Amino acid sequence: TAAAVSETVTLDAAIKAHVTQALRAAHGRIEGPFGAAQRLGVNPHTLRARMRKLGINWNSFRSDTRAPRRTRS
């Protein structure tokens, strides 16, 4: 029906939402046993490439609690 078609999102939009959800759950981590790539079942390099294509910035999902890096004088 026309209503069902208007509610359907593009494949890229669905993938972006799914990757975003995985990044949130992984606190911005891409690699490792608790990373988004592991959660999604894809290679970390593949995930980074897909994120670049979809315009997803992983830094926005990081909850970095480490002290800021010092710069050398």
Side-chain angles (χ1 to χ4, degrees), residues 18-69:
H18 197 59
V19 168
T20 299
Q21 181 181 10
L23 282 166
R24 269 197 204 102
H27 304 286
R29 179 181 296 271
I30 294 174
E31 294 189 49
F34 304 107
Q38 178 73 27
R39 292 170 182 267
L40 295 169
V42 298
N43 184 292
H45 180 74
T46 302
L47 178 57
R48 284 189 201 93
R50 185 65 52 95
M51 289 169 60
R52 275 192 301 277
K53 177 186 176 216
L54 297 171
I56 300 172
N57 180 1
W58 68 274
N59 284 320
S60 61
F61 299 95
R62 300 280 301 184
S63 55
D64 200 353
T65 57
R66 294 177 291 170
R69 291 184 179 181

